[in-house]
Amino acid sequence: MDNKEKLRKVGLRPTKQRMIIADILLDGINRHFTAENLQNEINSSGNSMSIATIYNCLKKFRNCGLIKQVESSKDTAIFDTNINQHHHFLDEETGELIDIENDEVNLHKLPKIPQGYLNNGVEVLIKIKKQI
Amino acid sequence: MDNKEKLRKVGLRPTKQRMIIADILLDGINRHFTAENLQNEINSSGNSMSIATIYNCLKKFRNCGLIKQVESSKDTAIFDTNINQHHHFLDEETGELIDIENDEVNLHKLPKIPQGYLNNGVEVLIKIKKQI
DNA sequence: CAAGTAGTTTAGAACGATTTTAAAGTAAAA
DNA sequence: TTTTACTTTAAAATCGTTCTAAACTACTTG
């Protein structure tokens, strides 16, 4: 399925700008990036785009499930092209994130979900620190 | 141990402002809060403090391990007075966090920590959604 | 295809959280 | 004490992100 179809499938019009971003992000490679990172990639690809459009597009892509946003206490939003349930190592010093595939983690005991709620995804974060 | 000693123990001068904040935060009750929440509590307690001092103090307290900062993709930093390893439920709609004690979760299989790094804490986040 | 309409892009302004500045104040050391 | 290093402050600055409103474009319907 090409990117135009992918966009239509989730109900997004395949505009020029969304296609440029889809061509960069939806290539099957897993990566973590910020809006600014993406803008640099857009520029490097010989295109250009308003930062407002980039934020707009990232929000739509995220809400439509084409990308994910990572839970992170950094001041800049971090997005992830890996939309499968998975986990992360985080080097708090540098902010570097490394993917952990879902089958590398095994949760044996999970707490009872609070009354009236449903489980909507489990994320494990393993903070790591450079050895000295 | 009183709060003055607690501050000295981690190498912080027990100034008037830090004592006011310590008296609010270090009472043994677990809570999640923002800088603004704390400012409101300070005001309610009949004191007042520059917002710069509040941010300053929260950063020092966090760096000294008196409080933790929660990994969260919200635009406002969230702090936690529970400094023991523990986990959270997160209602993504409202941003509400609920503590999960460490012994309520059992990780059976953990991935190998990357070469040259040490495990520096594991956090499990269970995203939950209101049932409809 | 033409015309309409609903959604999209844009530059620039605005916003909100946080940090910086630099000057005045305070705690601890000598 | 007096000195020195650290802390607080209000206000300005900064940074990431969102809003605004006007121009533009994709899709729909006739």
Side-chain angles (χ1 to χ4, degrees), chain A residues 12-13 24-25 39 61 67 69 89 110 117:
Chain A
L12 292 177
R13 283 192 187 173
I24 292 172
L25 298 182
Q39 188 171 44
F61 277 32
I67 61 176
Q69 182 169 355
F89 288 115
L110 269 190
Y117 286 91

Side-chain angles (χ1 to χ4, degrees), chain A residues 55-110:
Chain A
Y55 277 108
N56 239 311
C57 186
L58 287 174
K59 211 192 281 191
K60 293 257 181 191
F61 277 32
R62 190 237 293 140
N63 292 345
C64 293
L66 294 173
I67 61 176
K68 273 184 164 185
Q69 182 169 355
V70 177
E71 297 291 327
S72 157
S73 45
K74 301 205 75 184
D75 47 2
T76 309
I78 300 171
F79 296 91
D80 193 335
T81 55
N82 183 352
I83 56 175
N84 303 312
Q85 172 161 307
H86 67 286
H87 312 287
H88 290 114
F89 288 115
L90 168 67
D91 179 342
E92 289 182 288
E93 292 276 313
T94 64
E96 193 195 2
L97 284 167
I98 301 169
D99 275 359
I100 303 172
E101 290 311 316
N102 199 40
D103 62 11
E104 293 184 72
V105 168
N106 217 315
L107 285 154
H108 225 238
K109 184 180 167 190
L110 269 190

